Amino acid sequence: MNTLYNRDLISIDDLTKDEIESILVQAAEFEQRLARGERHSVAQLLRDYLLATIFYEPSTRTRLSFESAMNRLGGRVLSVAEAKTSSSAAKGETIYDTGRMLESYADVLVQRHPASGSARALADAAAVPVINAGDGTGEHPSQALLDLYTIQREGAAGSPGASRGGLRPLDGLHVAMVGDLKNGRTVHSLSRALSHWKVEFSFVAPPELAMPQDIVDFVRERGATVNQATDMVPAFKTADVAYITRIQQERFATPEDYMKYKGVYVITAQVLKDAKPGIAIMHPLPRVDEISTDVDTLANAAYFRQARNGVFIRMALLAMILGAV
Ligand code: CP
């Protein structure tokens, strides 16, 4: 049963574990259908439906993969890529008023905005479903879903996943998250999502950019083991996943503050020399300097496959929220 119909997705906590699993299954079905060449039948599912993407912050992957997903499902897209300057927000229009307008123009809204809580504000205004595509340092729930989907598929050769159709079980994982864990919304949503399973986290960050305490407390309450460190190398020795994040330049008060942390973690093939064999190297992208290009050719460099998986996850979300599956 599709319980996502007509629902908002603001936080990953809006979804139960069963609902997360059903989205992952639906995404896999879309990936398989496209691989089998079923483009035409897939493109009938959301014919006559409209998606509006309203982005007040830059994006390559999230906006374009939502739009790719909607187009692959046969729907149409209204897109505002620079809403801060090219929408009436520049004239002072509120999110509430914007939502009251957009509900008449599209069947589902996808918004990115620099303010934490802004997706909730849009959802409270608009009568159509809203998907949070990143609200400041808050959350990025569709990214967490595509990250889970990727982790399931990036198991090391010979991993227990081999006996489950090639999928890596999420129970028993050790996930090292590295970088700007304070400001990085992807790690906030992914930590919350992974805590549905029995996982161990290593949160690796400078003390000033540590994972917020409310998230540490939340995942611990759900039974996760949490290690906190400033050195990534020891964590990589036993981690199944190294999830690297960018230092979020746009969240710092001054360029000087940012420069204190720029380049603090740089993953190279040499850094990974003693890492657990098969460790999946993930990154939500964009990267700046935190993963050297010499890592790109490693078999376990998963970040471009991770970005590709965003299309299947967003197809699943749109189809389920609009009641097409
Ligand atoms: N991962 C991610 O959110 O990428 P974009 O900022 O390019 O959308």
Side-chain angles (χ1 to χ4, degrees), residues 189-212:
S189 292
L190 180 58
S191 301
R192 290 173 176 278
L194 277 168
S195 68
H196 283 292
W197 288 269
K198 292 189 192 324
V199 289
E200 176 179 353
F201 291 107
S202 289
F203 294 140
V204 180
E208 301 79 7
L209 302 181
M211 184 64 84

Side-chain angles (χ1 to χ4, degrees), residues 269-281:
Q270 179 65 22
V271 166
L272 294 169
K273 187 171 54 69
D274 295 323
K276 184 173 177 177
I279 185 172
I281 312 300

Side-chain angles (χ1 to χ4, degrees), residues 49-55 63 66-67 70 76-80 101-103 105-112 122 128-131 318 322:
Y49 284 89
L50 277 164
L51 159 72
T53 58
I54 316 101
F55 277 56
R63 186 173 64 83
F66 264 115
E67 295 183 1
M70 191 64 175
R76 296 182 188 202
V77 177
L78 310 175
S79 185
V80 189
M101 295 300 99
L102 293 176
E103 69 185 20
Y105 302 161
D107 303 296
V108 57
L109 312 179
V110 174
Q111 177 183 263
R112 171 171 291 184
L122 184 69
V128 295
V130 170
I131 302 174
L318 292 169
L322 292 171

Side-chain angles (χ1 to χ4, degrees), residues 26-45 65 68-74 149 308-316:
Q26 184 60 56
E29 187 181 320
F30 280 133
E31 180 173 7
Q32 287 154 15
R33 287 182 68 178
L34 291 176
R36 288 197 300 263
E38 296 176 21
R39 285 177 181 230
H40 182 73
S41 60
V42 168
Q44 307 311 306
L45 288 170
S65 63
S68 172
M70 191 64 175
N71 277 289
R72 288 200 182 282
L73 291 163
Y149 189 84
R308 176 176 181 270
N309 290 335
V311 176
F312 312 125
I313 282 292
R314 288 164 177 142
M315 287 176 76

